[in-house]
Each structure stands twice: as C-alpha cells, then as structure tokens.
Amino acid sequence: MQKSVRYNEGHALYLAFLARKEGTKRGFLSKKAAEASRWHEKWFALYQNVLFYFEGEQSGRPAGMYLLEGCSCERTPAPPRTSAGPAGARDALDKQYYFTVLFGHEGQKPLELRCEEEQAGKEWMEAIHQASYADILIEREVLMQKYIHLVQIVETEKIAANQLRHQLEDQDTEIERLKSEIVALNKTKERMRPYHSHQEDEDPDIKKIKKVQSFMRGWLCRRKWKTIVQDYICSPHAESMRKRNQIVFTMVEAETEYVHQLYILVNGFLRPLRMAASSKKPPISHDDVSSIFLNSETIMFLHEIFHQGLKARLANWPTLVLADLFDILLPMLNIYQEFVRNHQYSLQVLANCKQNRDFDKLLKQYEANPACEGRMLETFLTYPMFQIPRYIITLHELLAHTPHEHVERKSLEFAKSKLEELSRVMHDEVSDTENIRKNLAIERMIVEGCDILLDTSQTFIRQGSLIQVPSVERGKLSKVRLGSLSLKKEGERQCFLFTKHFLICTRSSGGKLHLLKTGGVLSLIQCTLIEEPDASDDDSKGSGHMFGHLDFKIVVEPPDASPFTVVLLAPSRQEKAAWMSDISQCVDNIRCNGLMTIVFEENSKVTVPHMIKSDARLHKDDTDICFSKTLNSCKVPQIRYASVERLLERLTDLRFLSIDFLNTFLHTYRIFTTATVVLAKLSDIYKRPFTSIPVRSLELFFATSPNNRGEHMVDGKSPRLCRKFSSPPPLAVSRTSSPVRARKLSLTSSLNARIGALDLTTSSCSSSPTTHSPTASPPPHTAVLESSPADRAGDSTELSPCRSPSTPRHLRYRQPGGQAADSSHCSVSPASAFAIATAAAGHGSPPGFNNTERTCDKEFIIRRTATNRVLNVLRHWVSKHAQDFELNNELKMNVLNLLEEVLRDPDLLPQEKKATANILRALSQDDQDDIHLKLEDIIQMTDCPKAECFETLSAMELAEQITLLDHVVFRSIPYEEFLGQGWMKLDKNERTPYIMKTSQHFNEMSNLVASQIMNYADISSRANAIEKWVAVADICRCLHNYNGVLEITAALNRSAIYRLKKTWAKVSKQTKALMDKLQKTVSSEGRFKNLRETLKKNKNHSSWPCSCNPPAVPYLGMYLTDLAFIEEGTPNFTEEGLVNFSKMRMISHIIREIRQFQQTAYRIDQQPKVIQYLLDKALIIDEDTLYELSLKIEPRLPA
C-alpha cells in the first residue's frame, strides 16, 4: 500500500500566517466546487509560489493550499446561463470575471475561480503568473539550450583536436617508416654499388619504379603537410594572431616616428636653446627653457627604452609579449602628467619669449632645419599630448585579438585602465591649449609680426577671404564693379577675427602674409559695424545694388587719428551674415562688459572685475559645476563639468559673455537640453533681468555712495525686478553731430577713461521738459558743438566713460557764450551717458522725466544690457544656426513671439528696435537668399539631350566639375548630423541622411572612374585613361578638393584596376610618381596625418594656421573618425549627472572647422554637359562585373 505524502504542517501554518499578513495578493474569490454548478466564496492569500485559501478573512487555519510553480493562468468565458432564476441574478453572473489555473502535470484538476470585478481578476491573474515562475523557467530553458550548444561546440573542438592529434601521430609514424625505408634503401644501394654499372644497363624498369615510388612518397608527404598548414591558416586563431601581429608592427612604426619627433625636439630645439641661454647675450633665460621643455628630455629617454624593447620583441617573432614593456612605462606616467599640466604654461612662456626679436629670429633658424619639415616648435611640443590616446587605441585593438586565457591579458587591461585615467586629464589640456597654438601659428605667418597675437587672452574666432573695396575722399565708394577681375585680384584680403582685434592681410606671390599699413590691425573697441546702409545715403544705396548686398562697413575711430571706413565684400550672403554675426558678437561682448563696468564703477566702490573675482560661483568647484585651470577670453575659468542650469546661467550672465562659450553652447546644446529650455531662459532674462546677476552682486551694486544713496531711497522701495515701469528716456542729441549715420548693432560706449569727455552743460536747468524737433527753432539756451582740443586736455575732472557712438571725441557741448556751466548743477551719470550713447539714431525723448531721474536709474542700464544680451544670443542663433528654426516650427513661432514682445516694449531704444526688426526679418523669410547650388538643382539643370564623352572632356573641366559637385554635397550636411554618431547606428539613413548621401556620392564617383577605365578594350586606351584620371586628381589637389583626390585614388587601387599589370606597365613613370604622391597625401595612416598636415600647411601658398585657404573640400571620414574617438573616449555626462562641457568644446571645435569649409563656396561655373556625364549612373559597373571584366581583359597567369 502506497504511503501518503508527509509534509511539515507547522511550517505550512507559518507560511499561511505570513500569507495573511504579507501576501502578494489577498482577497475574496469564488471557487468552483466539485459539483458543476456550485461556487463557494473563500478568502485567498498568495505568498511567493503558494496559494492559501481560508473559510473566512478571520480564519486562522487554511482550508487548503496550491503550489503554483509551473502552472498557467488564463481567462475563461462565463458559463452558459440557465433559464431559472431572476433576470437580475443572471446579469450579475454575466458581469463577473472567470479565470482558471491550469497545473502542468496530469492528475491535477484545474482550479476555477471568479471575482466580482474585471480589474481585480486581471490583478489576480498577473500575480498568479508571477508566482508560477514561468519567466524563470523560460529563461532556464534558454540558458540550458545555450549550455547544450556550448557543450556541443566544446565536444566538436575536442573531436577536431583529437583528429588533428591522430593525424600528427600518423604523420610521425609515416615519417619514421619512410626514414627506415630510406635507411634500408641506402644499405641496399651500398651493397649493390659494385654491380651498379651493370644493373644500370640491365634493369632500367627497376630504376623507373624507384623514381615513381620516391615521387609518390614526396607528394603524399607534401600533401599532408599542406593540408595541415592550410587548415591552420584558415582557423580563427591564426587570423587573430595575424591581426595581432599587424597591430604590433604598426605600433613599432608609430613608436619609431614618435621617438624621431622627440629627438628633433630635444636636439633641434632644447639643447641649442640651452647653449644660447649660456651665451654672453642670451636671447632666453635658463628658467624659460626649463618651463618650455619641462620633462621633454626625460620623455625622450623613456620612449627610447620602450622603442628598444619593442624592437627586441620583434627579434623573437612570432612570439610577441608586450605586457612587461607597458609595466615599465606605467610607473613613469607622472612625467607625462607634469608635462600635460605644464603644457599651457609652456606655450604662454614661449609666446612671451617671442616678443624678443633676437629669440624669434633664432627660433626661425631652428625651425628652418630640413628635419623639421616646416613644422613649428609648438607642433613638436604638442606631440606628447596625443601619444597616450594612441597607446589606448593600440591596447584596445590588442585586447580584441588576445584570448581571455592569454598570459598577458590582465596586464594589458591594467595598462589600458591606467592610460585611460591619464587621457581624461589630457583631453581638457589639449583643448585648452589649442587656441594658443593657433594664435602663434598665425603670428608666425605674418612677415611683420603681430604683437597682439602674443596676448594669450586673444581667442581666435574665424578667418577667410574677403575683398576690400577701395575708397576715395569723404568715405564715398569708388564706382567699381564686383565682377571686375582687378578688384578681385588686387582687393582680396585674408582676414582674421579675434575676440578683441580684426586683422586684414594681403598675400604676396611667395605666399607670405603682410599686414596692411593702414587699417591692418583694427581694435574692435574702436569699431562700429554697419550692417545696412542708411536709406537716405544715396551712395550707400548705390553700392548695395552694385555689390549685390554683399558689402558691409567697419567704421574705425582711433583716439590718435582721424576716423576711416573699411568696406569689405563677402563671397556670399551666408558668409556675410556669418562674418557680421561674429564681429558684432565680439564688439557687443566688449562694450556690454564695459558698460557694466562703468555702471558699477560710477556709483559703487565695487568694480566688475572685483565683483567677478569675489563671486565664488565663477571659479570655485561645487556639486553642480567643476572648472578648468584655463581662463577664457573674459578672464573667467572655463567650465569643465556643469549642470544644465549652471550652463544656462553662464549663457545669460550679464557681466560677461565668452564667444567661444556661446559657439560651443549653440553647437552642442541639443545633446544635454532642448531649444525650448534655452529660449525659455532667454525670455526669463528679458522679463526679469535682475535674476541674471547673483544676489550678492546686486547688493554691492545698489550699495551706492552717500551722495547718491538718498536719491535712490527716496521712494523707499527695493530695486525693481521686472519690466513694469518705464525707463528714463535718452537725452536729445543733435543729429548734426554725427559724422557717420548708420545702424549700430551694439551698445557702443567707450571703455577707456583716458578718452576725451562729454561736457553736457546748459545755462540753467529748466524743470519743464523740452522736446526736440529737427525743424523747430532752438530754445534760448541751445547747446552747440565746438572743437576744443585744449579743453579736452585740461578738463580731467569732467571725464565720463560713456560717449556717443556718433560723436567724435574732440567735440564737446558748450554754451553759445563759451562759458562752461558749473559741473555741480548737472553731473553726468552712467545712465545719462548710456542714454546719450544709444540715442544717436533717435529724434528726441518723450517728456516726463527730469535729469535727476535720469541720472539715478541704474536699473535702466541693467534692463538695457539684458535686452542687448538676449538680442545678441538670438542674432547669433538665427544667423548661424538657421536649421534649428527650419526644422522646428514651434521654436520659430516662440522666437517670433518673443521678438514681437520686445518690439512692444515702450522703453526700447532705437538701435535695439532695429536689431530686433532685423532678426525678425531674417527669421520670417521663408526662402533664404541662398546663392549656393544644390545637388537637386544641378540635376534638373543638366537635362541635356546629349552628354559629353570622356575623350572630349579635358582634365581641367572634369576636375572643376567634380570639385563643384563634391562641395555642393559636402556643404549640404547640417551640423546636427555630426552629433551622437548617428552615421554608425542601425537607423543611420533616417538620422543622418546627408552624411549617407555624401558617402553614396563618394562611392558613385569612385565607381565611375573605375568603370570608365574598364570600358576600354585595348591596353593603350586604358593606360591613357589612368594617366588622365591621375591628372584630374592632381588638379583636384590644386583646387584643395582632397575628397576628389581620394575618390580617384581609391578607384585606381581597386583590385579590378590594380591587378592590370600590362596596363600599368604602359603608364609613364611620372604618372606613377604623381599617383604615389597623391596616395601619400590622402593616406589613412596615423589617423590621416599627412592630410591634416596638408590642410594646416598649404604647400603652394603658406602655412595656414587652422586649414588651407578656403574654399576646400576635406575628406569627411577624417572628421567622422575624430568625432567617433571623442564620443567613445569620453561620456556626455559624469557619474553625478553633470554635462561634460570639455567634450562639448572639442566637438564644437571640429564642427566649426567643418562649417568653415562649408561656408566658402567655389567660384566655378557650372557646365551641364560635364555634370551630366559625372552623374550618369548608366556608366557605372558594379564591383563583381568589374572584376569579371578585369579577368577577361587580363586573365590570371598559370601557377
């Protein structure tokens, strides 16, 4: 008799108690009884995988329990209704929720349950499903299948290994047998040697048999060994080892080159400068030499040891063990860390030393050494900064091809982790010192030198080619045509924009740059940018039509010379808008900062620099921000990590605005925030400008001197924090005092206290307001303008830091009688001076405010500065990032609403109103005046009935049209596609359509080149085609189209073309040498090292600091590689959730370089027949057909 199952009843009761108290699901359910139609209501409690049911909610002992593991739960329809019973009861039964618990083994009846509500039934079903552990069982089944699969793989590998071992044993046995046969044959041969001569004549058949046997034995042995070797060569282990060896060989070559660079740095610069420092008249001190070359010699010795170790490992090839070499390198990382931290300081010391002409001349002699290959000292000092990332990439590739059980894997992983820690520090340092190196490179190319570039606070903004229009007397433009060849040739200027200065250079035939003798260096503090000519200026109107509205003016008012005007022409309206946006941003940044300085210094003892210095939030690390040691152009530490709120706070801080921060923020903000958030912050600053200044600074700001304190506290109110009151109107200034009538884009108040003063005096201060009208007669005490250079030098007590942008410095207000009024009656406050400075374009001021109210309203200055800041950011955003508004109509409408609200401000100044109207006009244009061609337009314009053939087209025509097409495709890429590595994602066609279109165009052009060569049947025609395409590639190089060079060289290196040995034999040696030169230029070795050097150093013209002279078409893959390296090497956010703004700066730097090439278009005329040939896809042959055709033309040689 079978015994009943025993279980621990006490434990079951304990579990029932826990189910009642802590059960996953508890409640009343109806349980179907054994009878078909009866249901009993029970109280159920679910605990883990056990379902208890009780007679009632208060029952202490369970009536039963079910183990739910492995069960399934599904809903069942309501049972059919019976005619018996009232209708209400039947409806109540229909609304109940029925479900059944099915157990996974036979002999167990299903548990049928029901509840009153559907939601409760679904919750019970979900809880029972969780308790059945179904997901865990499925996962276990999947893991079991994977385990079985892995076991099968292991067994298969074991079987293969055993078979290989048996084959080797069989071969060893066969070898021993063959050896014994050879020994026996040798013995037989020795015995038969006396009869050999006779047998040779008598038994020729035996001789033939022996030869056949020997041949067969050798053939069998070679066949077996060949099979073994081929099996190993095709194995994954051999493939991995080949890749690993190739990585090591590449690493040795790179290390050899790096040691050579360090050798040049030490022996070509460090040691000669040490000797020069010991001379009688040293051009440099020993301390400066040590500061510039800190640890350079030690780094060279360290890497010489490392290089010798690598070469010793190659002697033991194929066994390559490298971990012990990195163990030697890791303890010396502190040397690199010191070099990295000192790198920026070394460049600053070098810049200071270059101010000594003797040192500068000596350094140029050292750099002229042929071993330097045209590279400057700054370049050699930068090489160690990039070595650690190279080691990280190499170790990453080595680990990818190193088995997990390899003896040195752990050592390589440890070395990689240590190098990555150092790399995070070096990323910031390389980015921070890039600006200093760039400035020094530009200064080196100017023959006369430029001392302002040796100021490390100068930040490079942009460069490009502009045409300077000659002018005649009284500032009127000479009547010249834009299309004039002489104007383009003689007036072309190379322009460089920095945060404080604007440089205009000419280029000589030798490629050197020369500053203009007059107006070569323009200080932006003395400049006024004129975006649009005054409507009443007939000459300006004529010039606008004459030059197609591509011209803009810069009015320069130097303190020690007469004012003059510089008129420049941009190649396109887009480039004009970009230049004007950057120039106005720099001017506004300087003048707005100066305006805040004036406000604080006039009525408070606290200056703006002191206020910034005393504000710990601007330089002290906190939980939501971390600063770098490097200062930006505003002498404020750069942000390394920060929260989104702190970044927005920096963007809207009225005390300063760094243009490099603004560019980086607008390029990368979509990574960490949205445009709606940015616009909301700008709107908030406009409406509540005092929120953009810290509370402590506001307290210092309003803590004025005793003389002004009483005036400010007359109303007894605290500083007003919103725009609910009207501001003091600007003082009326006669328009006849302005020699230049133009729209001012910024707050054009001067910042120099040494500049001449404005003496605003009248004979009496009338209490009644006086309105000014240009046609009305002047009142009895009208102020007149009079030149008084003597008084300007004498009245030092009346200096005011603000002046009218349209009033010359040598003009002062005087009474008609020539007597100056008492300054105590009418002193000039910052508010008044600012009002005068911004009222040049107005016709007067509305009545209602007296002079006392004007002089005391500092809040007016704050609100005007806040408005100007909002307009500056919006103008920069709209003009340089128009795609944001084209793709987001909601954002566009919100900006339009904000600008319209600004226009409705009754206190808006005239120049602010004009600036707002211009932004509105630019934003409201549905069709931007884009003179650049688009690929779709070109395709529509090339619908010619007959296309040219390859033979009738010249190499120049092909190169020019290829360059035109490549640039059109390249410039169509919006900058947002460069963010987030979208081109490497699965949905890359949707995320980065224009980058994928560029890649497709590259492949199509390369396929066209290869297809055209293979279309010729005879060898001579193919050789001529190759020579012609190489000539086209060389012309593309001269046009700076390096993408086109790579398209053609990639086609010529295809296997279908490269294997045509007979065809290449017909190609001339000059063409082959030229092709080798082109291939070396665009080679991908060293992360496109040669191409980068070519872009930085234009061989035909001059060494260009950031890039070769635009227009140019670089290879896009080079920049995508850089962006991928930055994205993979550093995260967007820290572990604390802060934005990695140092990474954003690096990404922005690459995007700015790409956009610089995109903005400058080629001046190449479109030739429809040539373009139709280049875009004709019918001429393209696919890769497989090309190779088959290549085999048909030149078959393989027999083995």
Side-chain angles (χ1 to χ4, degrees):
M1 181 176 179
Q2 186 178 1
K3 295 183 179 180
S4 60
V5 178
R6 294 183 180 180
Y7 73 101
N8 191 337
E9 184 177 1
H11 185 62
L13 293 175
Y14 175 71
L15 291 178
F17 173 76
L18 291 179
R20 289 179 55 84
K21 298 296 183 181
E22 304 174 0
T24 308
K25 185 67 178 175
R26 291 165 294 178
F28 283 98
L29 292 174
S30 295
K31 175 176 174 292
K32 190 174 182 181
E35 295 83 2
S37 60
R38 296 191 59 186
W39 293 81
H40 299 288
E41 187 177 27
K42 305 289 184 180
W43 195 81
F44 284 80
L46 178 62
Y47 182 75
Q48 293 183 356
N49 63 336
V50 183
L51 180 64
F52 297 91
Y53 63 93
F54 303 81
E55 292 297 335
E57 186 176 0
Q58 304 300 328
S59 300
R61 187 179 183 86
M65 67 178 181
Y66 293 94
L67 294 177
L68 300 179
E69 183 172 354
C71 72
S72 61
C73 186
E74 59 184 21
R75 183 177 181 180
T76 56
R81 296 183 302 175
T82 60
S83 59
R90 291 198 302 270
D91 294 339
L93 290 175
D94 291 339
K95 293 180 180 180
Q96 291 183 343
Y97 192 88
Y98 294 84
F99 57 96
T100 304
V101 180
L102 301 175
F103 299 93
H105 51 85
E106 297 179 358
Q108 178 68 39
K109 294 182 180 180
L111 176 61
E112 298 184 26
L113 301 172
R114 75 179 182 189
C115 60
E116 299 296 333
E117 297 179 357
E118 182 178 357
Q119 180 63 28
K122 291 181 179 179
E123 293 177 358
W124 272 105
M125 289 181 63
E126 179 65 24
I128 293 172
H129 178 74
Q130 293 290 338
S132 66
Y133 302 149
D135 296 336
I136 298 176
L137 293 176
I138 294 173
E139 186 176 357
R140 176 181 176 277
E141 184 67 23
V142 172
L143 292 176
M144 183 58 68
Q145 292 178 0
K146 290 182 179 180
Y147 171 75
I148 294 172
H149 179 65
L150 292 175
V151 169
Q152 291 175 352
I153 293 175
V154 171
E155 292 298 329
T156 304
E157 293 295 330
K158 287 182 179 180
I159 294 172
N162 290 331
Q163 290 177 352
L164 204 59
R165 191 180 303 109
H166 291 321
Q167 289 179 6
L168 291 175
E169 292 175 356
D170 294 342
Q171 288 164 3
D172 291 339
T173 305
E174 183 69 16
I175 291 172
E176 293 297 330
R177 188 183 64 79
L178 291 174
K179 285 182 179 180
S180 61
E181 288 184 1
I182 291 172
V183 172
L185 288 173
N186 288 335
K187 291 181 179 179
T188 304
K189 185 176 181 181
E190 290 177 358
R191 287 197 304 268
M192 296 178 63
R193 186 170 295 172
Y195 311 100
H196 181 68
S197 58
H198 300 285
Q199 270 189 331
E200 196 171 293
D201 299 333
E202 295 175 357
D203 300 324
D205 295 336
I206 295 177
K207 185 177 180 181
K208 292 180 181 180
I209 292 171
K210 290 181 178 180
K211 286 184 178 181
V212 172
Q213 289 177 342
S214 176
F215 174 77
M216 291 300 296
R217 284 193 298 268
W219 180 79
L220 289 173
C221 184
R222 288 194 300 272
R223 183 181 178 184
K224 289 183 178 180
W225 276 107
K226 184 178 180 180
T227 303
I228 296 172
V229 172
Q230 286 181 346
D231 291 342
Y232 177 74
I233 290 175
C234 298
S235 66
H237 181 270
E239 181 66 21
S240 178
M241 288 299 103
R242 281 195 297 271
K243 291 181 180 179
R244 192 174 190 274
N245 292 338
Q246 184 60 39
I247 293 170
V248 175
F249 298 153
T250 305
M251 179 182 176
V252 174
E253 294 176 0
E255 191 69 20
T256 302
E257 183 179 1
Y258 179 56
V259 170
H260 179 65
Q261 293 166 352
L262 292 175
Y263 179 83
I264 296 174
L265 175 64
V266 172
N267 293 280
F269 294 98
L270 172 58
R271 291 172 180 170
L273 286 176
R274 279 180 180 170
M275 296 178 63
S278 302
S279 61
K280 293 183 179 179
K281 295 182 179 180
I284 187 174
S285 64
H286 283 285
D287 292 338
D288 290 341
V289 173
S290 300
S291 300
I292 295 172
F293 299 94
L294 179 67
N295 290 340
S296 299
E297 203 165 11
T298 308
I299 291 175
M300 185 189 73
F301 293 148
L302 171 65
H303 282 277
E304 283 182 345
I305 297 172
F306 187 70
H307 184 234
Q308 293 297 330
L310 285 176
K311 292 196 295 186
R313 296 298 188 274
L314 289 181
N316 298 328
W317 188 85
T319 303
L320 294 175
V321 180
L322 306 175
D324 56 338
L325 293 179
F326 283 100
D327 292 340
I328 298 174
L329 186 66
L330 290 177
M332 309 299 290
L333 288 181
N334 58 336
I335 298 176
Y336 261 104
Q337 200 163 0
E338 292 177 4
F339 183 89
V340 168
R341 291 174 178 172
N342 182 72
H343 186 58
Q344 182 188 2
Y345 178 69
S346 68
L347 293 180
Q348 292 176 348
V349 172
L350 180 60
N352 294 331
C353 292
K354 283 186 177 181
Q355 298 181 12
N356 184 347
R357 292 301 174 187
D358 294 335
F359 173 81
D360 190 52
K361 183 178 179 181
L362 182 64
L363 186 60
K364 288 182 179 178
Q365 292 179 359
Y366 294 157
E367 291 174 348
N369 190 339
C372 295
E373 298 179 352
R375 293 170 289 183
M376 297 183 295
L377 175 58
E378 295 87 350
T379 304
F380 288 98
L381 289 173
T382 309
Y383 283 140
M385 306 290 288
F386 297 99
Q387 191 63 18
I388 299 300
R390 289 176 183 169
Y391 286 149
I392 294 175
I393 295 174
T394 302
L395 288 175
H396 182 76
E397 295 175 347
L398 277 176
L399 289 171
H401 300 289
T402 300
H404 288 277
E405 65 276 5
H406 200 277
V407 65
E408 61 174 0
R409 183 174 182 86
K410 290 185 178 180
S411 299
L412 293 176
E413 289 177 345
F414 176 74
K416 179 173 172 286
S417 64
K418 288 294 184 182
L419 292 173
E420 284 176 344
E421 291 178 5
L422 181 62
S423 178
R424 294 188 187 98
V425 180
M426 296 176 67
H427 267 306
D428 295 339
E429 297 294 337
V430 171
S431 176
D432 294 339
T433 56
E434 179 106 13
N435 181 69
I436 300 176
R437 295 195 302 271
K438 192 177 300 182
N439 291 0
L440 293 176
I442 297 175
E443 194 273 339
R444 181 58 54 87
M445 286 313 305
I446 299 176
V447 176
E448 300 84 0
C450 190
D451 293 338
I452 65 166
L453 298 182
L454 301 180
D455 179 10
T456 55
S457 65
Q458 287 276 4
T459 302
F460 174 80
I461 304 301
R462 68 179 288 116
Q463 69 180 59
S465 297
L466 298 173
I467 296 176
Q468 184 175 4
V469 180
S471 60
V472 294
E473 295 181 359
R474 287 179 287 182
K476 297 205 178 228
L477 297 177
S478 59
K479 303 300 182 180
V480 292
R481 293 173 55 248
L482 178 60
S484 173
L485 181 61
S486 61
L487 176 61
K488 290 183 179 180
K489 184 176 181 180
E490 298 175 4
E492 186 172 2
R493 302 287 185 263
Q494 298 300 324
C495 301
F496 302 87
L497 176 63
F498 298 86
T499 50
K500 299 179 182 178
H501 290 83
F502 185 75
L503 305 186
I504 304 177
C505 305
T506 60
R507 174 173 284 169
S508 63
S509 58
K512 293 292 183 179
L513 297 177
H514 298 271
L515 284 172
L516 295 182
K517 294 182 180 179
T518 303
V521 180
L522 305 180
S523 177
L524 296 180
I525 190 61
Q526 303 167 359
C527 296
T528 301
L529 179 64
I530 303 178
E531 180 177 358
E532 294 178 354
D534 198 320
S536 63
D537 194 340
D538 297 336
D539 185 73
S540 297
K541 289 174 65 177
S543 67
H545 292 292
M546 184 187 308
F547 301 129
H549 299 285
L550 299 178
D551 59 320
F552 59 94
K553 299 179 184 179
I554 300 177
V555 179
V556 187
E557 299 177 279
D560 52 355
S562 59
F564 61 92
T565 302
V566 179
V567 183
L568 299 172
L569 295 179
S572 65
R573 293 194 181 185
Q574 285 72 25
E575 192 154 355
K576 172 189 172 183
W579 272 104
M580 294 190 59
S581 177
D582 287 335
I583 294 174
S584 63
Q585 190 66 45
C586 293
V587 173
D588 293 346
N589 191 31
I590 295 173
R591 290 176 175 171
C592 287
N593 295 343
L595 180 62
M596 294 299 296
T597 304
I598 294 164
V599 173
F600 278 85
E601 291 180 351
E602 179 72 12
N603 291 326
S604 175
K605 297 180 180 180
V606 181
T607 62
V608 170
H610 176 70
M611 182 175 61
I612 294 176
K613 185 177 180 181
S614 62
D615 190 355
R617 289 171 59 86
L618 295 178
H619 56 79
K620 186 176 181 180
D621 292 350
D622 203 347
T623 55
D624 57 351
I625 196 167
C626 179
F627 293 97
S628 174
K629 296 181 180 180
T630 308
L631 303 180
N632 60 19
S633 57
C634 299
K635 299 298 183 182
V636 177
Q638 287 186 349
I639 296 176
R640 187 176 182 184
Y641 310 116
S643 63
V644 178
E645 291 76 13
R646 293 300 292 271
L647 293 176
L648 292 172
E649 179 183 321
R650 174 65 66 91
L651 179 69
T652 55
D653 196 327
L654 299 184
R655 294 169 293 179
F656 60 88
L657 177 63
S658 172
I659 191 169
D660 52 347
F661 173 84
L662 178 60
N663 286 329
T664 301
F665 185 90
L666 291 180
H667 274 135
T668 60
Y669 73 88
R670 56 182 46 80
I671 295 178
F672 50 85
T673 186
T674 62
T676 305
V677 175
V678 178
L679 184 60
K681 182 66 175 179
L682 294 176
S683 177
D684 184 66
I685 292 302
Y686 168 72
K687 296 175 182 177
R688 291 179 291 276
F690 285 88
T691 60
S692 60
I693 299 180
V695 177
R696 177 56 182 162
S697 299
L698 281 176
E699 293 174 356
L700 296 174
F701 176 54
F702 286 101
T704 55
S705 59
N707 294 332
N708 296 330
R709 187 185 305 272
E711 297 178 2
H712 179 72
M713 299 302 293
V714 168
D715 58 355
K717 296 180 180 180
S718 60
R720 290 161 285 183
L721 302 180
C722 62
R723 296 176 177 266
K724 294 184 180 180
F725 55 91
S726 59
S727 61
L731 293 178
V733 180
S734 174
R735 290 175 64 90
T736 59
S737 65
S738 175
V740 179
R741 295 172 60 189
R743 182 171 74 85
K744 304 303 183 292
L745 293 178
S746 61
L747 302 174
T748 52
S749 59
S750 177
L751 305 183
N752 256 332
R754 57 185 175 83
I755 298 175
L758 281 173
D759 185 12
L760 302 176
T761 59
T762 59
S763 59
S764 64
C765 295
S766 176
S767 60
S768 62
T770 302
T771 59
H772 173 78
S773 174
T775 59
S777 60
H781 302 285
T782 303
V784 298
L785 291 172
E786 181 179 295
S787 176
S788 56
D791 292 338
R792 182 184 61 206
D795 289 341
S796 60
T797 60
E798 297 181 89
L799 290 177
S800 173
C802 290
R803 67 177 182 87
S804 169
S806 57
T807 306
R809 294 178 176 82
H810 63 281
L811 298 179
R812 303 179 55 188
Y813 283 90
R814 284 192 174 274
Q815 296 179 2
Q819 297 178 358
D822 187 3
S823 61
S824 64
H825 290 289
C826 188
S827 60
V828 181
S829 71
S832 301
F834 174 78
I836 296 170
T838 54
H843 296 277
S845 60
F849 290 91
N850 54 31
N851 291 335
T852 304
E853 290 173 334
R854 292 191 188 100
T855 57
C856 297
D857 198 347
K858 292 173 289 186
E859 299 169 5
F860 173 68
I861 303 295
I862 299 296
R863 289 186 285 112
R864 297 275 61 82
T865 308
T867 303
N868 199 24
R869 169 58 54 82
V870 173
L871 293 179
N872 286 342
V873 175
L874 287 178
R875 180 176 59 237
H876 203 80
W877 197 357
V878 171
S879 62
K880 306 188 82 174
H881 305 272
Q883 301 97 334
D884 294 3
F885 305 95
E886 295 172 2
L887 302 176
N888 190 343
N889 190 55
E890 181 182 358
L891 174 65
K892 181 178 178 180
M893 296 306 299
N894 291 336
V895 175
L896 290 174
N897 294 335
L898 176 60
L899 292 174
E900 291 173 356
E901 182 180 353
V902 174
L903 282 178
R904 290 193 296 268
D905 186 358
D907 303 328
L908 199 65
L909 298 176
Q911 80 282 2
E912 294 174 346
K913 186 174 183 179
K914 289 185 178 181
T916 306
N918 284 333
I919 300 174
L920 269 172
R921 188 185 309 114
L923 195 60
S924 301
Q925 289 177 353
D926 295 333
D927 184 14
Q928 300 289 338
D929 296 331
D930 191 356
I931 65 171
H932 293 295
L933 294 172
K934 295 182 179 179
L935 187 61
E936 293 77 7
D937 300 334
I938 292 178
I939 294 175
Q940 293 178 0
M941 296 170 61
T942 54
D943 293 337
C944 299
K946 182 180 179 181
E948 296 283 345
C949 60
F950 179 70
E951 294 80 4
T952 59
L953 298 175
S954 66
M956 179 63 73
E957 291 174 334
L958 288 170
E960 287 183 345
Q961 299 307 305
I962 288 175
T963 300
L964 179 61
L965 289 175
D966 287 351
H967 190 267
V968 168
V969 175
F970 175 70
R971 75 173 301 274
S972 67
I973 305 174
Y975 71 92
E976 57 264 21
E977 290 194 8
F978 297 112
L979 303 175
Q981 290 183 282
W983 63 89
M984 300 177 66
K985 309 297 182 184
L986 294 177
D987 55 344
K988 55 187 176 183
N989 291 322
E990 291 76 19
R991 297 182 62 176
T992 57
Y994 289 95
I995 290 180
M996 301 314 298
K997 184 184 294 185
T998 304
S999 177
Q1000 179 185 356
H1001 176 73
F1002 181 95
N1003 295 332
E1004 289 176 353
M1005 294 302 300
S1006 183
N1007 290 337
L1008 176 65
V1009 175
S1011 302
Q1012 185 62 55
I1013 295 173
M1014 297 302 298
N1015 277 334
Y1016 295 103
D1018 57 311
I1019 295 177
S1020 299
S1021 299
R1022 289 196 299 273
N1024 293 335
I1026 290 176
E1027 291 182 350
K1028 186 173 182 178
W1029 280 118
V1030 173
V1032 171
D1034 190 47
I1035 298 174
C1036 288
R1037 178 188 63 82
C1038 297
L1039 293 173
H1040 300 162
N1041 180 13
Y1042 299 103
N1043 186 74
V1045 175
L1046 195 55
E1047 287 172 350
I1048 297 174
T1049 55
L1052 297 178
N1053 281 320
R1054 289 191 174 191
S1055 57
I1057 306 295
Y1058 188 77
R1059 62 172 298 276
L1060 301 177
K1061 299 186 181 298
K1062 295 180 181 179
T1063 303
W1064 284 102
K1066 289 284 186 178
V1067 178
S1068 63
K1069 293 182 180 179
Q1070 293 82 358
T1071 301
K1072 292 180 180 178
L1074 179 59
M1075 183 178 172
D1076 292 340
K1077 179 182 177 182
L1078 295 174
Q1079 286 180 332
K1080 185 178 180 182
T1081 301
V1082 296
S1083 172
S1084 61
E1085 294 181 358
R1087 296 177 61 242
F1088 297 94
K1089 173 191 171 184
N1090 295 333
L1091 181 56
R1092 296 178 194 274
E1093 292 292 334
T1094 304
L1095 290 172
K1096 291 182 180 179
K1097 183 176 63 177
N1098 187 1
K1099 302 280 186 184
N1100 296 330
H1101 297 283
S1102 61
S1103 299
W1104 211 250
C1106 335
S1107 61
C1108 64
N1109 186 15
V1113 186
Y1115 175 55
L1116 183 62
M1118 177 179 66
Y1119 295 113
L1120 297 182
T1121 303
D1122 294 343
L1123 291 171
F1125 177 76
I1126 294 174
E1127 291 283 358
E1128 294 176 359
T1130 53
N1132 292 332
F1133 299 92
T1134 64
E1135 295 179 356
E1136 294 78 13
L1138 303 181
V1139 179
N1140 188 350
F1141 205 68
S1142 295
K1143 176 182 178 179
M1144 304 301 131
R1145 259 194 303 273
M1146 291 185 285
I1147 294 175
S1148 176
H1149 173 73
I1150 295 175
I1151 293 178
R1152 285 203 303 270
E1153 187 170 344
I1154 294 173
R1155 296 191 71 187
Q1156 181 181 352
F1157 288 120
Q1158 289 179 326
Q1159 290 171 352
T1160 307
Y1162 281 91
R1163 299 171 185 173
I1164 297 176
D1165 295 331
Q1166 180 185 350
Q1167 300 185 24
K1169 292 185 178 181
V1170 183
I1171 292 180
Q1172 186 177 7
Y1173 164 76
L1174 294 174
L1175 298 179
D1176 190 359
K1177 296 184 179 181
L1179 301 175
I1180 298 177
I1181 305 174
D1182 63 273
E1183 185 70 25
D1184 295 336
T1185 308
L1186 273 178
Y1187 198 77
E1188 293 175 0
L1189 190 59
S1190 176
L1191 292 176
K1192 183 178 179 181
I1193 292 174
E1194 290 189 20
R1196 289 193 182 99
L1197 296 176

